[in-house]
Amino acid sequence: MAPRDINPQKALGPLHTRIKASKVLMVGAGGIGCELLKNLVLTGFGEVHIVDLDTIDLSNLNRQFLFGMQHIKKSKAMVAKETAGKFNPNVKLHAYHANIKDAEFSVKWYKGFDLVFNALDNLEARRHVNRMCLAANVPLIESGTTGFNGQIQAIQKGVTECYDCTFKPVPKSFPVCTIRSTPSQPIHCIVWAKSYLFPEIFGTSEDDSSDLDHSEDAENSKEIENLRQESQELKKIRALMGTDIFAKSIFEKVFGRDIDRLRGMEEMWKTRKPPVALDFDEVSSKANGISSAVCDKDQKIWNLYENYVVFADSLHRLSVRAQELQAEAKEGEAPPILSFDKDDVDTLDFVTAAANLRSIVFGIELRSKFDIKQMAGNIIPAIATTNAITAGVCVLQAFKVLANNISAARMVFLSRSAERIFSTSELSAPNPSCEVCGVASLTVEADLSRATLGDLVEGFLKKGLGYGEGLSVLTDQLLYDNDFDDNLEKRLVEVGIKEGVFVTVIDDDDEDGEEDEDGKKLLHRVNLVLSIIDTKIPEADQAILHPPPSFTIKRKELKPEAAAPQTPSPPPIAGTKRGHADSVTEKDSNGSAKKRRLNEATADLSIRDNGESSSKGSASANGKMDVVVLDADDDGVIEID
């Protein structure tokens, strides 16, 4: 036995052998990830795979101890592997500088792991990993921190609740007219600078931005048309990039003429204070003598003239970068663009100054560069000690999972409390109403080079699983139902079905309510979620392998009456046990049953506000799902669960 294994062997006993033979995945190599990787390597986990898309920034170095100054701008995953590998050369480390949602990380790939650790900082990626682990039937240790608070949860398909079993607050957007015409909070001005002004000058048009909600456009068509005209004017000014009048042209338009136009809409200002336009000549003359070095004072709230100096200086810096990219672009390629990054000093300076100048125009409180970085980047301060403690508990919970004793695992809450730092509760059972784990799931092996949607519907679902004529098949859009069979002859890849894409099947059979041989009501099957694995199948065989004979899909439970919708309880605080909101069962009618089930099946794809499905996230006429993002609390700070 190697000397480094003596103490772990004494402490863990036979479990240490299981740990040394284990193959685990760690998603995220940031604050929690650095601490977690160190723990995994020193404990002696046999093989660790690390996935992270991010690169190292100066602001990471105060807590992400695997990185140093020499690593700035390098891949977090690659550097973490290099640094942590020195702690224990016996551990096999594999790093991927990639997005965990990429197609290469398929269900088949997840099935190769004994355990997955989530060390992520955003809701969308966490939900994706949760779904993939459920589909692959691989245990997941979910963790997250917010300031001094932390939470650790062990997840096992069919045994415990999953990440989506309880309500999670989801970011929402602000209507375009609020951002563009009637801001009232600092966050409104920050979103305007980040998601409208910056893209219009250096990126793509606002029509492509997901930070702006166009769902109210029809109700404000005249105002929207005026705003579109403003965008067209900015596109013309964009052609002046690199000239001496570029900064003046933008300033006079967005802080001058556009504001005068808004003031002319008298109805808009009957109940609110009208904005005050800024005069370029006056502001620029009074700003003479102020050094652009003021942008380094990120804790200070800059005044009008300091904001102008930073605005003009950052605009020049970004213009130089944009022109260099354009000069390097090859003929026939898409025009190069710049994107906002909270860790990019030039883009952050521009958004800070532009947001504050707009706040001055509308009489809104100004914010420091430090504050705006937090708000524009959708982050809150991270604390190294919280990350370290959370990572340690993750490994302790992993011991119980690897020992096949998940019943001994706990939901662990970390908080800044004078009474006790840790609070725990037993893991809850799966929520039967959960739209992610409360469904049936099955892995489908298909030859994607020739399998068609008809093979899936007619051969696999109807003949193989016994579905009737009434069924719907959808991904993020409707692919098939009784009234829409145009896609049956198309190959799966032609309708967007490939590895990594989940396919939802909804039972719409009219036989719902009949009785079986025991006299029990036969309700519709629960929704079925299919994960596709591309498999080469001989030409003589069917393009989709038949489901296993033992696979069955449970039926929905019959409830006596529909209950009134309940507002979900807020997320648990430290020391409380999370429960499941009362589920609501709607009675089906011939006219609306399918629509309700479609909404139910795609609820995890839509955006929710206070637990209710948002109309902004419901299926649109063409089957596509609208996307809604961004939310702020009263202080303007956007929090990630």
Side-chain angles (χ1 to χ4, degrees):
M1 180 182 295
R4 68 166 59 245
D5 292 334
I6 294 175
N7 289 330
Q9 178 68 38
K10 289 180 179 179
L12 299 172
L15 178 60
H16 185 247
T17 303
R18 173 83 172 99
I19 290 172
K20 289 187 66 177
S22 65
K23 179 182 177 182
V24 302
L25 168 65
M26 188 185 81
V27 188
I32 297 176
C34 282
E35 297 286 348
L36 181 55
L37 182 59
K38 174 256 296 178
N39 293 342
L40 296 175
V41 169
L42 293 179
T43 305
F45 280 76
E47 186 175 340
V48 182
H49 291 242
I50 311 148
V51 181
D52 197 304
L53 180 63
D54 204 3
T55 55
I56 299 162
D57 183 76
L58 178 64
S59 63
N60 302 144
L61 304 186
N62 69 336
R63 62 193 181 281
Q64 297 174 24
F65 73 97
L66 295 180
F67 313 137
M69 290 290 293
Q70 72 275 21
H71 298 134
I72 289 176
K73 298 303 179 185
K74 293 183 179 180
S75 163
K76 285 187 175 181
M78 298 298 182
V79 175
K81 171 193 171 183
E82 176 188 345
T83 306
K86 300 173 184 176
F87 300 165
N88 187 348
N90 297 326
V91 175
K92 297 178 182 178
L93 297 178
H94 304 268
Y96 308 81
H97 179 60
N99 189 332
I100 190 60
K101 298 174 71 176
D102 290 346
E104 64 178 299
F105 306 122
S106 63
V107 173
K108 184 192 298 184
W109 185 75
Y110 275 83
K111 286 186 174 183
F113 297 101
D114 299 300
L115 183 63
V116 176
F117 293 89
N118 249 358
L120 292 162
D121 61 357
N122 73 85
L123 197 62
E124 184 180 358
R126 287 164 124 170
R127 282 182 160 162
H128 174 80
V129 174
N130 176 60
R131 292 194 72 183
M132 296 299 281
C133 288
L134 291 172
N137 197 17
V138 176
L140 169 66
I141 303 294
E142 167 63 44
S143 62
T145 61
T146 301
F148 288 100
N149 299 325
Q151 182 170 314
I152 302 93
Q153 174 186 7
I155 297 171
Q156 175 70 65
K157 179 181 179 180
V159 179
T160 73
E161 64 179 7
C162 78
Y163 184 72
D164 283 305
C165 274
T166 53
F167 170 73
K168 301 291 189 304
V170 179
K172 68 179 182 180
S173 74
F174 303 99
V176 172
C177 289
T178 298
I179 299 299
R180 296 281 301 278
S181 302
T182 56
S184 59
Q185 302 174 30
I187 188 63
H188 295 161
C189 298
I190 295 168
V191 172
W192 173 84
K194 171 193 168 186
S195 300
Y196 164 67
L197 186 60
F198 183 89
E200 289 293 340
I201 300 173
F202 299 108
T204 55
S205 172
E206 63 153 351
D207 293 331
D208 299 322
S209 172
S210 61
D211 284 3
L212 300 177
D213 172 18
H214 293 270
S215 61
E216 299 184 9
D217 287 6
E219 301 175 12
N220 304 277
S221 56
K222 184 177 179 181
E223 173 63 8
I224 293 296
E225 182 57 33
N226 290 333
L227 297 179
R228 294 194 191 283
Q229 290 178 9
E230 288 183 9
S231 298
Q232 292 301 317
E233 290 179 36
L234 270 179
K235 288 180 180 178
K236 295 177 181 178
I237 294 175
R238 187 171 180 167
L240 299 174
M241 188 180 299
T243 66
D244 294 337
I245 62 171
F246 185 49
K248 177 181 179 181
S249 300
I250 293 176
F251 189 97
E252 288 183 334
K253 174 186 160 30
V254 298
F255 302 120
R257 295 193 301 275
D258 290 352
I259 304 305
D260 289 334
R261 181 192 65 79
L262 283 175
R263 284 182 62 93
M265 304 174 70
E266 297 179 0
E267 291 290 325
M268 192 179 290
W269 312 110
K270 283 187 175 181
T271 58
R272 55 169 68 96
K273 183 180 178 181
V276 179
L278 299 177
D279 182 86
F280 175 82
D281 293 330
E282 178 185 350
V283 174
S284 60
S285 64
K286 291 185 177 180
N288 280 336
I290 298 177
S291 170
S292 59
V294 69
C295 65
D296 295 330
K297 301 178 180 179
D298 62 348
Q299 300 279 353
K300 180 189 178 202
I301 295 179
W302 306 328
N303 61 30
L304 167 61
Y305 309 109
E306 290 169 331
N307 275 294
Y308 166 76
V309 168
V310 177
F311 176 81
D313 182 65
S314 60
L315 194 58
H316 172 72
R317 283 180 269 148
L318 291 167
S319 299
V320 171
R321 286 172 53 179
Q323 289 177 306
E324 288 176 350
L325 288 175
Q326 291 170 1
E328 296 171 359
K330 296 179 181 179
E331 186 176 352
E333 291 183 348
I337 63 173
L338 298 178
S339 301
F340 173 81
D341 186 333
K342 64 181 175 60
D343 295 319
D344 183 326
V345 174
D346 296 342
T347 62
L348 180 61
D349 283 346
F350 177 83
V351 167
T352 299
N356 276 336
L357 288 170
R358 187 166 177 84
S359 293
I360 291 170
V361 166
F362 284 89
I364 298 171
E365 179 185 2
L366 305 185
R367 292 298 176 100
S368 69
K369 177 179 172 180
F370 178 81
D371 291 336
I372 289 178
K373 179 177 181 178
Q374 294 177 316
M375 298 164 73
N378 296 8
I379 61 172
I380 63 173
I383 297 172
T385 308
T386 309
N387 291 335
I389 297 173
T390 299
V393 176
C394 284
V395 176
L396 294 177
Q397 297 299 305
F399 292 163
K400 300 169 185 177
V401 174
L402 291 176
N404 296 319
N405 190 21
I406 196 168
S407 61
R410 293 289 182 270
M411 176 82 76
V412 181
F413 303 95
L414 173 66
S415 63
R416 189 182 186 184
S417 170
E419 297 180 358
R420 56 188 303 182
I421 296 176
F422 288 111
S423 298
T424 65
S425 67
E426 293 183 359
L427 296 175
S428 300
N431 182 355
S433 300
C434 177
E435 291 127 358
V436 177
C437 72
V439 300
S441 60
L442 182 62
T443 299
V444 179
E445 294 185 67
D447 190 338
L448 294 181
S449 65
R450 58 191 180 93
T452 66
L453 185 62
D455 293 332
L456 180 66
V457 172
E458 301 296 337
F460 188 87
L461 295 175
K462 292 183 178 179
K463 293 182 181 178
L465 293 177
Y467 276 85
E469 291 299 320
L471 65 89
S472 300
V473 179
L474 61 153
T475 51
D476 60 345
Q477 58 185 337
L478 181 65
L479 300 180
Y480 168 84
D481 68 13
N482 254 355
D483 302 318
F484 179 61
D485 57 4
D486 300 7
N487 296 322
L488 285 179
E489 296 183 2
K490 294 181 180 179
R491 289 185 298 125
L492 294 180
V493 291
E494 292 179 300
V495 294
I497 298 178
K498 54 186 179 181
E499 283 197 344
V501 173
F502 290 99
V503 181
T504 301
V505 181
I506 306 168
D507 184 4
D508 289 323
D509 205 309
D510 292 335
E511 295 180 0
D512 183 14
E514 291 189 359
E515 296 181 354
D516 63 11
E517 56 186 13
D518 297 323
K520 294 182 179 179
K521 291 286 186 180
L522 276 178
L523 300 184
H524 289 106
R525 299 169 177 86
V526 298
N527 293 342
L528 171 64
V529 177
L530 305 175
S531 55
I532 309 296
I533 292 181
D534 189 11
T535 305
K536 291 300 178 184
I537 301 174
E539 290 287 339
D541 297 334
Q542 294 184 349
I544 301 179
L545 297 183
H546 284 295
S550 60
F551 180 77
T552 58
I553 305 172
K554 66 180 181 181
R555 300 274 180 167
K556 295 181 179 179
E557 297 179 4
L558 182 66
K559 304 257 178 121
E561 290 183 5
Q566 306 255 336
T567 301
S569 58
I573 59 174
T576 63
K577 181 175 179 179
R578 306 196 309 178
H580 302 306
D582 292 336
S583 59
V584 178
T585 301
E586 294 177 301
K587 293 183 178 179
D588 292 338
S589 63
N590 292 333
S592 61
K594 181 184 298 181
K595 181 176 180 181
R596 281 201 298 272
R597 292 193 189 96
L598 285 173
N599 289 339
E600 173 188 331
T602 56
D604 62 309
L605 301 174
S606 64
I607 300 302
R608 294 180 169 225
D609 184 16
N610 295 329
E612 297 181 357
S613 295
S614 167
S615 60
K616 303 180 183 69
S618 59
S620 59
N622 62 2
K624 296 285 187 182
M625 306 300 296
D626 293 329
V627 179
V628 190
V629 296
L630 272 179
D631 193 11
D633 62 15
D634 293 338
D635 296 325
V637 178
I638 304 166
E639 295 189 354
I640 298 294
D641 174 65

